[in-house]
Amino acid sequence: MSDKTKLNCLSDNEWQDLKNIIIFGIGRQGKKMFQTLADNFNILAIIDNDEKKIGTIYQDYKIKRLDDVAELIKETKIIVTTSQYYYKDIRKQLEGKGLVENIDFVMYQQFITEWFYKYQKKIYLLKTDISLTTRCTLNCKNCMQFLPYWDEVGENSLESIDENLECYFDCVDYLFDLDIVGGEPFLYSKLYDFVELIGRNYRDKIGYVGFITNGTIVPKDEVLELMSKYNFQVSITDYSQNITYKHRIPELIKKLEQYGITYMRNINIDWFDFGFPEKKYCYDDKYAVTHMAICNSIEHVLDNQRLYYCGLEWSAQKGKLFEDEEKAYIDLQRLRGRTPEERKQILEMILGNIEGGYLEFCKYCGGFGIDNNNRVNTAEQMPRRK
Ligand code: SF4
């Protein structure tokens, strides 16, 4: 980690007494952030660039265009809740209105990581993923976790998951978004116990909690009941327009609605070509710094009592497809019970303050940034190796 902090973008005069905000972007990330932002600030408006959303209602807010709130933006800070890929255009759009980055508006990742530390001395993280199992009902050639290339897949014990979470919340005060992933997480054999574990021990420290599923499995009624009780949500990645596969999405949706579980159904998702492991990119050290900064990954993973900066590198390491490198993670064990100042290094890493400015894996990976215009066929299947 370099000495140059990444936690000093927001100037005190502008941000310290923040009360009112505007949310810019009410896609997947905006929806996940909404409740915790609403619990901490007055949301004066939600705006979006998607014409299909304009005029629709989300949580009692009528979604507006930027031009509809021309007066409001002069005196209200804007939190932009879009992926890095779209942020550049939105920044240009806001600058075109005379607004200045980090004074009048800020990207949500920077905001959450910096604001709560600076002004409340708390370690708040935007997003962390936890994998229950690396078994999956699909076998996608371009899986973001490279699972078809692993020699061995399997599930994590409930005890190890609990140890991870206990260690994590000894270091992190609050998490905005916990994504429960797999493989296919609904394959997990202890699903009921896992939901109970989160619900009982950690639910008050997490904003959004959601499973990411491919819609091939419908959990048992007793699990759905518990998910409803603890306000778990579900994000269904629907590949039915891309591939023919045996999904149970209509049945799953019916059940989720029956139990009052909020869900998102995501279709037509573009898949980035990460290159790894078959056609690796090959960036040099110098470009890798820019490449990682442009990527600005929010895919952080909790495993083995460590917080990994990048889920892709975690997966490549865990699957023994790439050598371990220490700077890819923070060892949470050694930060347990430490002061916020000592735990601040978690935030620095989350914002990409990493020794040398990049991860070794970034040299071989296409990333999520605007320098990656390569796409692959979404969810294309390949034969299983065994
Ligand atoms: S470029 Fe690839 S390895 Fe580097 S942070 Fe982004 S997704 Fe991770």
Side-chain angles (χ1 to χ4, degrees):
M1 190 174 93
S2 95
D3 291 342
K4 201 159 174 252
T5 180
K6 296 241 179 191
L7 292 164
N8 207 12
C9 287
L10 306 174
S11 69
D12 294 350
N13 288 348
E14 298 288 339
W15 291 91
Q16 187 155 21
D17 300 320
L18 186 68
K19 289 190 178 55
N20 300 327
I21 60 167
I22 294 171
I23 294 180
F24 194 153
I26 198 72
R28 268 191 301 165
Q29 292 308 324
K31 286 178 182 165
K32 286 172 167 186
M33 298 300 103
F34 175 84
Q35 196 51 55
T36 313
L37 288 175
D39 291 344
N40 285 278
F41 306 99
N42 302 319
I43 299 173
L44 299 192
I46 300 179
I47 55 178
D48 203 286
N49 280 338
D50 182 349
E51 278 300 315
K52 288 203 276 312
K53 291 180 189 161
I54 304 303
T56 61
I57 306 291
Y58 182 76
Q59 303 276 356
D60 295 339
Y61 289 83
K62 193 172 184 180
I63 300 173
K64 298 182 174 165
R65 296 180 187 87
L66 176 59
D67 285 342
D68 298 335
V69 292
E71 284 307 308
L72 205 56
I73 58 172
K74 292 181 191 157
E75 60 208 36
T76 313
K77 304 295 180 201
I78 301 173
I79 314 298
V80 183
T81 55
T82 61
S83 70
Q84 180 68 14
Y85 197 80
Y86 297 108
Y87 180 67
K88 192 175 146 254
D89 288 342
I90 290 178
R91 186 174 61 203
K92 246 194 222 159
Q93 190 184 2
L94 292 171
E95 285 170 348
K97 301 281 175 198
L99 304 182
V100 179
E101 187 180 32
N102 297 329
I103 291 183
D104 303 302
F105 67 93
V106 66
M107 171 106 174
Y108 70 137
Q109 186 181 6
Q110 182 71 37
F111 172 70
I112 287 160
T113 319
E114 181 174 341
W115 195 89
F116 288 95
Y117 179 73
K118 224 175 189 177
Y119 304 122
Q120 297 195 348
K121 277 284 166 280
K122 299 274 187 208
I123 308 295
Y124 273 43
L125 295 193
L126 170 66
K127 174 168 150 54
T128 296
D129 294 358
I130 187 163
S131 169
L132 303 186
T133 173
T134 45
R135 295 202 180 98
C136 192
T137 45
L138 293 177
N139 198 48
C140 301
K141 183 177 170 202
N142 297 292
C143 169
M144 211 169 90
Q145 287 176 258
F146 321 118
L147 295 178
Y149 306 93
W150 287 32
D151 280 338
E152 214 178 315
V153 291
E155 58 177 45
N156 290 324
S157 71
L158 194 66
E159 292 71 34
S160 71
I161 291 171
D162 191 17
E163 275 167 21
N164 275 327
L165 288 164
E166 209 184 314
C167 183
Y168 181 90
F169 285 111
D170 278 348
C171 301
V172 172
D173 296 304
Y174 195 83
L175 171 61
F176 266 65
D177 170 5
L178 176 68
D179 282 339
I180 305 151
V181 300
E184 168 50 51
F186 286 156
L187 277 177
Y188 190 52
S189 62
K190 300 249 168 69
L191 207 48
Y192 183 94
D193 298 329
F194 170 75
V195 176
E196 181 70 30
L197 171 77
I198 295 269
R200 213 176 344 101
N201 296 350
Y202 306 106
R203 192 64 191 88
D204 59 337
K205 295 174 178 166
I206 312 171
Y208 169 97
V209 180
F211 285 96
I212 298 185
T213 176
N214 60 27
T216 50
I217 293 181
V218 180
K220 288 184 186 150
D221 284 49
E222 55 180 15
V223 175
L224 292 163
E225 204 178 321
L226 208 56
M227 284 166 60
S228 172
K229 177 180 167 187
Y230 291 123
N231 190 21
F232 277 56
Q233 299 193 27
V234 176
S235 177
I236 307 167
T237 321
D238 178 352
Y239 299 125
S240 59
Q241 308 205 350
N242 309 101
I243 56 165
T244 305
Y245 73 118
K246 244 177 151 180
H247 67 77
R248 296 171 67 188
I249 294 173
E251 194 188 335
L252 175 61
I253 286 178
K254 205 167 152 205
K255 280 284 185 186
L256 296 174
E257 287 176 351
Q258 182 188 333
Y259 283 94
I261 296 168
T262 307
Y263 65 90
M264 291 182 243
R265 182 177 186 172
N266 310 304
I267 51 170
N268 291 329
I269 295 183
D270 245 10
W271 274 25
F272 285 84
D273 182 2
F274 297 107
F276 196 86
E278 295 206 314
K279 290 187 197 144
K280 299 184 188 82
Y281 290 74
C282 200
Y283 293 121
D284 62 22
D285 295 355
K286 197 166 163 229
Y287 187 70
V289 176
T290 311
H291 183 53
M292 194 185 100
I294 291 174
C295 173
N296 200 17
S297 173
I298 57 166
E299 305 299 328
H300 316 299
V301 170
L302 170 65
D303 188 31
N304 212 13
Q305 304 188 19
R306 296 168 175 171
L307 185 62
Y308 287 79
Y309 175 74
C310 173
L312 277 74
E313 176 159 4
W314 162 76
S315 198
Q317 286 186 9
K318 183 122 177 152
K320 300 193 172 48
L321 304 170
F322 194 76
E323 271 184 29
D324 278 21
E325 60 167 336
E326 271 190 23
K327 65 178 181 174
Y329 58 82
I330 288 256
D331 181 1
L332 296 176
Q333 266 291 2
R334 64 179 176 79
L335 293 177
R336 290 179 98 156
R338 297 282 191 91
T339 64
E341 287 76 13
E342 289 165 320
R343 289 181 284 134
K344 179 180 137 196
Q345 58 187 282
I346 299 170
L347 303 177
E348 294 283 1
M349 182 197 72
I350 288 300
L351 290 177
N353 190 350
I354 282 165
E355 192 192 325
Y358 67 92
L359 300 171
E360 197 56 29
F361 194 70
C362 296
K363 286 165 46 182
Y364 308 102
C365 163
F368 294 99
I370 47 165
D371 61 347
N372 186 0
N373 289 314
N374 299 330
R375 298 292 181 271
V376 288
N377 294 334
T378 301
E380 182 182 339
Q381 297 299 289
M382 65 185 274
R384 290 194 188 263
R385 292 196 301 164
K386 51 184 178 180

